[in-house]
Amino acid sequence: MGMVRVGVLAGFEKQVRELHGDPGAVLRTLGLSEDYFASRHEEEFMPYDVAESILHQAAVAVACPHFAALLGTRHDIGVMGAVGYLMQQSNDVATALQELSDHHSFQVKDASSVDVGVIGEQAFVSYRNFISVEFSRYSAELALAHGLVIIRALCGGRWKPTRVNFRHRQPDQLMPYLKIFSAPVYFGQFKTEILFPKIWLDKPILQADSGLKKILQTHIMQQEELSAAKLPEDVMGLIREMLPTGDCSIGTVADRMIVHERTLQRMLKQQGTSFSLLLDQVRMDIAADRLANSAVSIIQLSDYLGYADNTAFTRAFKRWYGITPMLWRCLLYTSPSPRDGLL
């Protein structure tokens, strides 16, 4: 289940009141207590779908379809917590935005990712949501509004986006979005992203403090290490789940974990392993279990484990156990059990 930092919805209640709504009523409609936010620290995590529902219900209650985008513009780079402060200590804008991408899990877990890149003369910051497009509309608008204030904080007041794209359908009123983003806004696009001239990526961040950056990096790395220790186990769990689908690769596993493939490769390397080693281990364990505890054929098992044919599976099995799977099964059932030697 996706989770998001409570802090990304800071100012929710104030904005509802300013738009002549009742934040308590919005929360009660969703079965939440009126002190839902007051009783939670901004660094805590809340279910991603609850955050989306709150934004949706608020937009309906105050008749403001662009409620989420408006809320995002009330924030500053501090909404990113430790990652926001780390970005401000980077040498240039490109490095800062890469920090945002690399540490997105500090904001959102298992629901979305942020990518940074260049196409031609345009740089982009894109927000990829792994939930249905129409059921993540408000969180996507909040995310791009956050992107707007973050990039502006890094580049200065002269910076403006070239255009803003959203994957979801266009709301009835376009003008509020044009005012919020101060740029052409398009809906029904391939990606949810902000585009701007790539020259801004080279802009130095003058207030950067190398000492503070080191402290922040250490703090963030310590937090990431806590979850990184379980990473191989988590990846093996996904491999077991996805093998029967016939679509189990480092790319598909990375998508499920909401990280970039290269990031997953690097994280596994830091844990002294790799995706291919974990895949091999899972296949080895499943093969031994199925051969010992079921009547599955070698061909069926080969297919289940994702091999091109049973010859490839047999070669792998001999590498693991030194004998063919057929012989391994035969020896298992013909060898005396430990009890046979007891009087």
Side-chain angles (χ1 to χ4, degrees), residues 71-104:
L71 179 63
T73 61
R74 300 179 70 112
H75 299 149
D76 56 31
I77 196 169
V79 75
M80 304 303 295
V83 175
Y85 296 116
L86 175 61
M87 293 171 69
Q88 291 177 298
Q89 311 314 315
S90 299
N91 293 329
D92 53 43
V93 172
T95 305
L97 292 177
Q98 192 57 54
E99 297 284 10
L100 173 66
S101 175
D102 290 345
H103 303 297
H104 180 61

Side-chain angles (χ1 to χ4, degrees), residues 30-31 41 48 61 85 128 132 202 213 219 241 291 298 300 307 310 314 325 340:
L30 298 171
H41 189 275
Y48 191 91
Y85 296 116
R128 184 183 179 193
S132 170
D202 298 324
K213 179 178 181 180
H219 168 71
E241 178 184 334
L291 288 171
I298 303 301
Q300 289 172 324
Y307 287 99
N310 62 314
T314 298
D340 290 341

